[in-house]
Amino acid sequence: MDIEMEAQSLSTCNQCGKKFQRKAHLLRHQQQHSGDRPYSCKFCAKTFKRSDVLRDHFSRCERRGNSAIPSSLERGRKRHACDECSRLKVKCDNNVPCRKCTEFGRKCVKTRSSTNASTSSPEEQHSQTPPLRSTPETTSDRNSIGFLLNCPSENDFIREFPQSSTRSPSSKPEVFSALPSVREYGAPSPASSSTSVFHQYGHMIQESNIDVFLNRLEFQNFEQQTNNWQMPNENMILWSGPDALFLDRRVLEQRAFDIKEKLRYMAAVLNPPHQPPKEVIDAIELITAETIASYIKLYFKHWHKHAPMIHEPTFNPCTAALPLVLSLMSLGGMYSKESEDVAKLKLLLDIIEAYIFSIPGLSDEYDMPGRMYVKHGETASPEWQQYQLEELQGAYLMIVLQYWTGNPTARTRVRQQRFPKIVHIFHLLDVLTMQHSPAFLITDQTSFRTWIRKESFIRTGTVAVMLDHAFGIFNNVSPHFQWAEMDLPFPSDDKFFQISNFDMMVTETAIPRLGMRIKDAFLILFSPDGADDELDVLRRGRVTALDMQMLVHFLYTHVWASTFSNPMASIPGTDIQALTAPFHLAMRNWRALWDEIKANAIEEEWNKLGFQRTAESYYDAVRSILNVFERREGHFPPIPSDCEKGSHLKRLLSF
């Protein structure tokens, strides 16, 4: 009897004869015969035969970004955690803001309980917005590297590289008060032809022009370039061009193997007593000869222009110091068009940083007598001096990458712990006083390499000083490099720095043009009105946009030191206008020179420049803090120091 009832309860497919106990299962099965695909993804328009397959698709849909999965298709019970904790699959205390978001500095939003918020599509929220891409979700292992690194969301991606579409020389200066309200990460207009980092990852709305102003300072309108470099299939990998250096793939493959072994060991060190998570091991496998070469190629194509301190014509990843190879690979990898590879590489950033700063000489754990840095020009061999240079450059660039791209903990760590270490090395090597001797003659390849090495040191020193000033601008900390100890010149002309060897220098009859001392240029800015002869010294020195960027960094630092950090300014009876007048004069002279440089620049060449073009934003910063100081006559509430990025400026500009 039971067998008969069971047979009667079975539903049979009239096309293939397959039997099912539930009619719903039969109907689902029959869709395979009909070809109907009634379920579609609202983000990418893909269609599916089954709703459960659609649910699985939502978790990896490249165009969903950070948007919530429609509530009607969520699995299991309704979620009560905030969006970030739910996405990262960590425990949430259900408060707004929750403890996890507060601890790691994330914006805590709970939208999953709202049907409207859950079902609104990106098209409804951002019309004409390019398709979103997101990092694939990781597993819920609380011991994973993603969890330990505070699991930065995609809106932290490349946070933040310089603008690539700053105003051209023909553009008119913008009035700050007239700036429109935009998203926090600077979304371009819907008509923009390229996909920006903000369009891919940003989602927070600006509340005031102060945020817009800080956004401009942080150059967060950078539009990510997606031109990847396709690798040839031969054993010799093309490096820089048809007539340039070729790399032996076998040597680079051995180097990739060594890198993977070192990163596996470091990942294990960072995760005791557990084994490194699977996603980290998988990410390490991304490192091959092809990815090293292609990512470094992307570095020179997209990032090098922002801080041209590495001699590209002679750089060889097969022989360069490992810290520099890792940093260039990591920076260049951020420009890859493969979002999954970028996500994997981001998982490795803290591991790579930990490895670089575990090397004797860079590590704070111990010092080995035979590993101490030697001063430039001492008895050390040129090869050893070159290695020291490359190791220092690699450590510096990893700080840059983590400061602008890393999670909050990484940003604080590199600023407070890593940067002071390389400052110490700069002091050991006397980098801050390096200059080319006017009597030095380049007579052969050896003297050419000596000149290039010293120029690389000078360029590394100048960009490190600018980063030191940037910490003061964004985090309100005192500079590590003091005015009294610096005697650096501006970098020499880029054209000569691009020459590969002595023979090429002779062929092109090239002669290096030495940059003037930064201190001299800075003091000339304070020349009185009408002293065109003194400003002509800067004009004859052919200062560049990068030189002007350095000068405005110095202006910000010394304006702040003379006003908000100057107790004498608060003494009753202090003439505030007399105190700030020299800086207004310097600002006028700086702006006049800047406008001349822009007016004389060829627009095509100007557009090839890097973050030098954002110098006007720093000019606006100096002008704004001067105006606030004068308006309040030197009296103001406490301003936080060593703070989160930009929080002191937000407080200051709200007075």
Side-chain angles (χ1 to χ4, degrees), residues 68-125:
I69 295 175
S71 58
S72 61
L73 290 173
E74 286 184 346
R75 293 184 182 273
R77 62 181 183 275
K78 298 298 181 182
R79 296 173 180 169
H80 300 287
C82 70
D83 290 358
E84 284 295 296
C85 290
S86 178
R87 184 178 64 82
L88 300 172
K89 300 181 181 178
V90 296
K91 185 176 181 180
C92 180
D93 59 14
N94 300 331
N95 295 322
V96 179
C98 70
R99 184 177 63 84
K100 286 293 182 185
C101 290
T102 302
E103 180 180 355
F104 296 130
R106 297 190 293 259
K107 184 175 182 180
C108 187
V109 179
K110 185 184 291 187
T111 60
R112 291 188 179 274
S113 59
S114 171
T115 302
N116 293 335
S118 299
T119 58
S120 60
S121 66
E123 289 79 5
E124 294 167 346
Q125 296 173 7

Side-chain angles (χ1 to χ4, degrees), residues 104 148-152 346 349-351 353-354 357 398-419 471 644-645:
F104 296 130
L148 294 175
L149 304 187
N150 308 328
C151 303
K346 290 179 69 178
L349 290 184
D350 276 42
I351 300 174
E353 176 204 333
F357 285 92
M398 180 50 61
I399 291 173
V400 171
L401 177 59
Q402 286 283 55
Y403 183 67
W404 296 114
T405 308
N407 56 75
T409 300
R411 291 198 295 269
T412 302
R413 181 176 60 246
V414 296
R415 176 169 55 84
Q416 295 181 347
Q417 299 178 19
R418 308 304 194 193
F419 189 71
F471 290 152
E644 286 298 316
K645 194 180 294 183

Side-chain angles (χ1 to χ4, degrees), residues 307-320:
M309 63 184 187
I310 298 168
H311 192 230
E312 180 182 3
T314 57
F315 177 81
N316 187 335
C318 293
T319 58

Side-chain angles (χ1 to χ4, degrees), residues 151-370:
C151 303
S153 60
E154 283 294 358
N155 53 25
D156 282 326
F157 180 74
I158 305 187
R159 192 177 220 243
E160 223 20 280
F161 285 86
Q163 290 180 340
S164 64
S165 57
T166 314
R167 295 187 296 270
S168 65
S170 60
S171 303
K172 301 296 182 181
E174 296 177 0
V175 181
F176 168 69
S177 59
L179 284 173
S181 178
V182 298
R183 292 179 175 274
E184 182 178 0
Y185 299 134
S189 64
S192 176
S193 61
S194 59
T195 303
S196 70
V197 170
F198 170 78
H199 271 133
Q200 297 173 36
Y201 308 111
H203 67 276
M204 302 191 322
I205 303 300
Q206 292 289 6
E207 297 179 353
S208 66
N209 278 347
I210 292 175
D211 293 312
V212 179
F213 176 69
L214 293 174
N215 182 49
R216 292 177 63 204
L217 277 184
E218 213 168 348
F219 22 86
Q220 292 183 350
N221 285 337
F222 180 76
E223 295 179 359
Q224 183 190 15
Q225 300 296 316
T226 57
N227 297 321
N228 207 343
W229 186 49
Q230 300 300 320
M231 302 297 304
N233 294 323
E234 299 82 8
N235 281 334
M236 302 301 288
I237 301 176
L238 182 62
W239 181 239
S240 298
D243 301 322
L245 177 68
F246 280 75
L247 306 180
D248 189 326
R249 182 184 297 274
R250 291 167 295 183
V251 176
L252 199 54
E253 285 176 347
Q254 179 60 46
R255 185 133 234 215
F257 175 81
D258 294 340
I259 289 174
K260 288 190 285 189
E261 288 297 304
K262 295 179 185 300
L263 295 186
R264 289 191 191 102
Y265 172 79
M266 186 53 59
V269 170
L270 296 178
N271 287 272
H274 307 284
Q275 291 295 319
K278 182 179 182 302
E279 60 265 27
V280 172
I281 299 300
D282 292 342
I284 292 175
E285 293 302 318
L286 172 70
I287 300 174
T288 63
E290 285 77 8
T291 54
I292 292 175
S294 60
Y295 288 169
I296 292 179
K297 183 71 174 180
L298 288 174
Y299 165 85
F300 282 113
K301 183 175 183 179
H302 298 299
W303 173 259
H304 180 67
K305 62 183 179 182
H306 304 305
M309 63 184 187
I310 298 168
H311 192 230
E312 180 182 3
T314 57
F315 177 81
N316 187 335
C318 293
T319 58
L322 197 56
L324 183 57
V325 174
L326 286 168
S327 294
L328 299 193
M329 179 193 73
S330 301
L331 269 166
M334 295 298 146
Y335 295 87
S336 172
K337 64 182 179 181
E338 302 296 336
S339 59
E340 291 186 2
D341 290 349
V342 173
K344 290 180 179 179
L345 191 56
K346 290 179 69 178
L347 278 176
L348 300 179
L349 290 184
D350 276 42
I351 300 174
I352 294 174
E353 176 204 333
Y355 167 72
I356 290 176
F357 285 92
S358 70
I359 297 174
L362 292 173
S363 172
D364 289 325
E365 299 298 326
Y366 57 88
D367 283 323
M368 297 175 62

Side-chain angles (χ1 to χ4, degrees), residues 47-60:
T47 58
F48 304 89
K49 295 178 179 179
R50 294 166 47 171
S51 60
D52 58 329
V53 178
L54 173 60
R55 279 198 305 268
D56 292 337
H57 164 77
F58 277 134
S59 65
R60 56 180 182 272

Side-chain angles (χ1 to χ4, degrees), residues 34 67 143 165 216 250 332 337 529 532-533 544 592 612-613:
S34 65
S67 301
N143 292 320
S165 57
R216 292 177 63 204
R250 291 167 295 183
K337 64 182 179 181
D529 291 332
D532 289 338
D533 291 343
T544 65
Q612 304 94 306
R613 295 176 295 167

